Each structure stands twice: as structure tokens, then as C-alpha cells.
Amino acid sequence: MPRTSSSITLRPAAAEDCASLAALSIEVWLTTYLREGISQAFADYVLRHYTPDRFAAALSSDGECLFVSQNGDGIDGYIRLAHNRPSPAGGASRTEISTLYVRPCAQGTHIGASLLRAGLEAGASRGWEAPWLAANSENKPAIAFYHRHGFERAGLTWFQLKDGRYPNDVLQYRGAWQAAKT
């Protein structure tokens, strides 16, 4: 049964979440970006990039924050913000939404919007700039989601893996932003 927004439980990510975050990331990444087979290059990338150790390092960093959505069985989505990452499109923002992933079976249940709000509030409360993010240019549903939530296209960047280059739209948050003074 699909969950409603009233049943969404959001909380800061914790050390015991690292394996779940890695597994969720691999699931979402492979389902979102690979439409045919899984090549060696992509398999190597996800297995090297999405590990419990990398999530543990992010959780111990003052320049990153992660929030998870949790249901009765476990984590079904997360948002990760990273500070001191300048936008490839230029501009003043050094705050990136590096990841906003929701399990495919939980998409359309307002988890993404709830996580996005939590991430925006967390960034503002830390005194960080309004965030930017990069979204695969072919991922029209994700780009439409961000446009509905106050982001505008600010430029283009490329995800490079081996000999392949994949365009990513750079989106900048243009909604209401009141960063706390630090």
C-alpha cells in the first residue's frame, strides 16, 4: 500500500544507516541511469562510489548533512547536502544537493518533496547558500520535480565515466531563502 505524506518519518542519518544508504543508492542509480545492461565501467563506478565507508565519512563531516526517510521496514529515501562545492555554472552558491534519492517503489508518495524541504531547511539553518544541483539532462521527471520546487536551470555540466560523457543540467534554487547568520 502506498504511503501518504502523513506517514513519512524524516530524521538525520546515523552511522547505523550507512549500509542501507549504500544499497539504496546503488538501486536508484542503476534503475535511473542504466536503461539496458550494466557495463563493467558502471558496475565499478557504483560499487566504488556508494559504500558504507563513504557514507560514514560524509556523516562525520561538518560540511555535509544527510536526512533519511524511514518507514517501518527501513530507509526508503535520503537527501545529502555538501558545502564548499562551487556550482559548475558559476554563481555564488557553494552548497550542493549532491543526492536526493527515493526508492523507485516509493516514488510519488511525497517522500522526495519532504526530503527536499528538510534539506533546504538544514542548509539555511547552517548559514549555507541556496543550493544548486546537477540532474541528468535526460531525467525529465527529476528536472520537472525540481522546477516545481523552486529550482531554475543555471547551466550545463558533464558526468564523465571512462570515454563516456553525459550531460547534466545544473539547477539553482531560486525559492525563498533565509540563511541563518553564522
Side-chain angles (χ1 to χ4, degrees):
M1 168 183 274
R3 295 182 326 148
T4 63
S5 58
S6 63
S7 65
I8 295 172
T9 300
L10 300 181
R11 62 173 175 77
E16 58 270 14
D17 298 325
C18 291
S20 297
L21 289 166
L24 186 151
S25 298
I26 291 168
E27 175 191 26
V28 172
W29 203 94
L30 292 176
T31 1
T32 302
Y33 301 116
L34 301 184
R35 291 173 184 84
E36 296 183 22
I38 300 172
S39 71
Q40 183 71 44
F42 284 111
D44 289 344
Y45 173 82
V46 297
L47 293 174
R48 189 175 50 254
H49 191 76
Y50 296 114
T51 67
D53 288 344
R54 283 188 170 224
F55 281 102
L59 288 174
S60 68
S61 170
D62 290 337
E64 297 204 43
C65 72
L66 287 90
F67 284 88
V68 298
S69 169
Q70 182 168 338
N71 63 42
D73 292 327
I75 294 170
D76 51 16
Y78 76 95
I79 188 167
R80 179 177 179 178
L81 278 79
H83 192 54
N84 289 325
R85 291 199 186 158
S87 170
S93 181
R94 298 172 301 125
T95 303
E96 177 187 16
I97 295 176
S98 59
T99 315
L100 174 54
Y101 283 168
V102 175
R103 292 195 65 213
C105 63
Q107 292 176 1
T109 59
H110 305 286
I111 292 170
S114 297
L115 285 165
L116 182 58
R117 275 191 304 278
L120 293 173
E121 290 170 9
S125 72
R126 287 168 169 79
W128 297 352
E129 302 89 5
W132 65 274
L133 60 89
N136 181 291
S137 297
E138 293 181 9
N139 192 346
K140 301 302 181 195
I143 292 170
F145 168 83
Y146 290 117
H147 285 165
R148 284 192 309 273
H149 289 91
F151 286 81
E152 294 177 2
R153 190 172 190 280
L156 187 70
T157 191
W158 298 87
F159 173 76
Q160 178 128 12
L161 184 64
K162 301 258 183 196
D163 295 330
R165 284 175 39 119
Y166 307 91
N168 279 239
D169 286 8
V170 177
L171 304 172
Q172 176 66 51
Y173 184 67
R174 303 284 188 211
W177 190 259
Q178 185 70 31
K181 303 223 189 285
T182 56

